[in-house]
Amino acid sequence: MIIVLRPDATEEQIQHLVDIIGEKGLRAHISRGTERTIIGCIGDESKLQDIPFLAIPGVESAMPILEPYKLASKSFRPEKTRINMRGVEIGGDEVIVVAGPCSVEPNDTLFQTAHAVREAGAKILRGGAFKPRTSPYDFCGLGEEGLRMLDEARQATGLPIVTEVMDTREVELVYRYADAFQIGARNAQNFNLLREVGKYDKPVFLKRGMSMTIKELLMSAEYVISQGNPNVILVERGIRTFETATRNTLDIAAVAVLHEKTHLPVFVDPSHAAGDWRYVTKLACAAVACGADGLMVEVHPNPERAFSDGAQSLKFTKFAKLMEAIRPIAQAVGRWVAEGAKS
Ligand code: PEP
Ligand code: MN
């Protein structure tokens, strides 16, 4: 159930509604928009059936939310969510590019890449310290040492950092270093992990699981938001289909559908979708044309020597070209992409 309040509703009237909802065992989630305040009722809606909401002072309308996700739905919050990540605004008119190597490696890859992507116009640095690898014998990341290197790269470039957290036991540790959590495709339905990052106040980049429907992705976002953290960024990174020419199939329609259904920012990761650097720029262009709020791109100075995902990583010059390619497209759809910062 969502309750839309009259523009002149008083704080006492809002509190009265919160109390009534609480008495029925549900939680009231208040969203104060620029024009309207909306109360979302979280819990068993059938318990509210007998409450004559329209007769309660301050209420303009009350309607059930038909989708299983509530806090993530557009009916709950009609205006787009804007998220501040260490001074970078996500979800506004600027298309935000997150870039960096797949893994933080025990060499200077991260530092070189951080400077290069910043100079090309990226606003956020990525790099995995905890890597979910299909084989346990593959490089699984540097752990805390990788987080320390991310911190140094942030200090050197000023770029905020996002890195994956794989385990509830490591959330606290990652929180201490990172400016945002990344929940990977393989953990996108790890509900305990989603709940855990939902208790923190840093943004969460939530990748779409490789066999998750759009509705399931929104339910995963709901897990995070329902714990008190509204700063979720959805990331379409390709899903598994019968097609084998690319690593995954980029579901570009998901961008359009998600913007219809949710107020959360929607990013596209063309690197994991393509699995091949040759396709990354074209998919990035398609994503921006379709209205993506940002991109997440893997970049490496020497992809042949990358510890993970070299095949899909762009060299610095190719990444700079990607940035040039998306600028006019962003403009054509009423958005913009930052110019590179000179070092
Ligand atoms: C990654 O970003 O390096 C990664 C592992 O992505 P995904 O979870 O989308 O596979
Ligand atoms: Mn990767």
Side-chain angles (χ1 to χ4, degrees):
M1 178 79 77
I2 62 168
I3 301 163
V4 181
L5 301 181
R6 294 166 50 98
D8 58 357
T10 64
E11 284 306 315
E12 287 74 30
Q13 289 170 340
I14 295 175
Q15 191 52 50
H16 180 56
L17 280 157
V18 170
D19 292 344
I20 291 177
I21 294 160
E23 281 161 22
K24 294 287 180 188
L26 285 85
R27 200 155 53 79
H29 188 110
I30 304 173
S31 167
R32 293 174 199 272
T34 41
E35 299 190 355
R36 282 279 196 278
T37 296
I38 296 177
I39 301 180
C41 309
I42 311 303
D44 180 1
E45 280 199 13
S46 64
K47 301 220 170 87
L48 301 177
Q49 257 167 16
D50 299 330
I51 301 179
F53 279 112
L54 296 182
I56 299 177
V59 175
E60 184 168 281
S61 60
M63 53 206 151
I65 297 188
L66 301 174
E67 300 96 352
Y69 45 87
K70 301 186 191 310
L71 301 173
S73 93
K74 229 178 173 175
S75 26
F76 175 62
R77 192 186 150 86
E79 65 260 47
K80 281 186 77 172
T81 285
R82 291 172 187 237
I83 296 172
N84 183 317
M85 178 173 166
R86 207 180 238 263
V88 174
E89 190 188 58
I90 296 170
D93 288 342
E94 181 181 356
V95 175
I96 300 295
V97 178
V98 181
C102 179
S103 299
V104 180
E105 303 177 358
N107 52 45
D108 65 356
T109 289
L110 180 70
F111 297 93
Q112 281 186 44
T113 310
H115 285 290
V117 300
R118 178 172 168 274
E119 282 166 30
K123 285 294 193 72
I124 297 169
L125 178 66
R126 62 149 288 149
F130 296 96
K131 293 305 301 178
R133 303 307 301 278
T134 303
S135 163
Y137 308 120
D138 286 342
F139 176 67
C140 288
L142 296 178
E144 188 167 3
E145 176 55 19
L147 297 175
R148 271 194 287 270
M149 291 169 75
L150 282 162
D151 176 35
E152 284 171 28
R154 170 176 52 205
Q155 286 181 37
T157 58
L159 294 177
I161 53 178
V162 56
T163 195
E164 180 163 356
V165 60
M166 286 174 52
D167 192 309
T168 50
R169 292 165 296 187
E170 285 152 1
V171 172
E172 173 73 43
L173 174 69
V174 172
Y175 177 81
R176 272 192 267 129
Y177 289 92
D179 300 304
F181 297 110
Q182 178 173 320
I183 300 291
R186 292 156 193 80
N187 266 320
Q189 285 183 304
N190 179 338
F191 302 120
N192 287 336
L193 183 59
L194 295 169
R195 278 208 185 92
E196 198 57 30
V197 294
K199 294 177 191 155
Y200 289 77
D201 58 3
K202 289 185 178 172
V204 178
F205 284 80
L206 174 60
K207 297 278 200 102
R208 180 181 183 181
M210 45 199 104
S211 45
M212 266 165 88
T213 63
I214 289 172
K215 191 191 274 182
E216 286 165 343
L217 175 61
L218 288 167
M219 291 309 290
S220 287
E222 193 79 11
Y223 265 94
V224 179
I225 306 173
S226 65
Q227 293 301 307
N229 185 349
N231 301 317
V232 179
I233 299 123
L234 304 169
V235 187
E236 161 59 39
R237 45 77 74 204
I239 51 175
R240 205 166 257 192
T241 67
F242 53 80
E243 183 55 73
T244 54
T246 48
R247 182 176 179 185
N248 293 288
T249 297
L250 180 63
D251 182 8
I252 199 79
V255 180
V257 174
L258 284 167
H259 277 142
E260 199 59 37
K261 297 194 177 295
T262 182
H263 50 83
L264 298 172
V266 180
F267 274 43
V268 166
D269 170 347
S271 307
H272 289 85
D276 184 326
W277 67 270
R278 289 177 191 84
Y279 310 135
V280 170
T281 297
K282 285 181 178 167
L283 298 189
C285 289
V288 174
C290 199
D293 298 295
L295 300 172
M296 183 181 278
V297 183
E298 286 187 339
V299 179
H300 197 284
N302 197 351
E304 311 89 86
R305 296 217 161 77
F307 279 52
S308 58
D309 287 350
Q312 67 200 31
S313 297
L314 295 180
K315 291 183 182 167
F316 298 164
T317 49
K318 293 272 185 324
F319 177 69
K321 285 196 176 133
L322 177 151
M323 295 298 290
E324 287 310 318
I326 61 173
R327 280 197 181 97
I329 299 173
Q331 247 174 18
V333 295
R335 312 288 289 267
W336 59 282
V337 176
E339 290 300 325
K342 293 281 161 280
S343 294

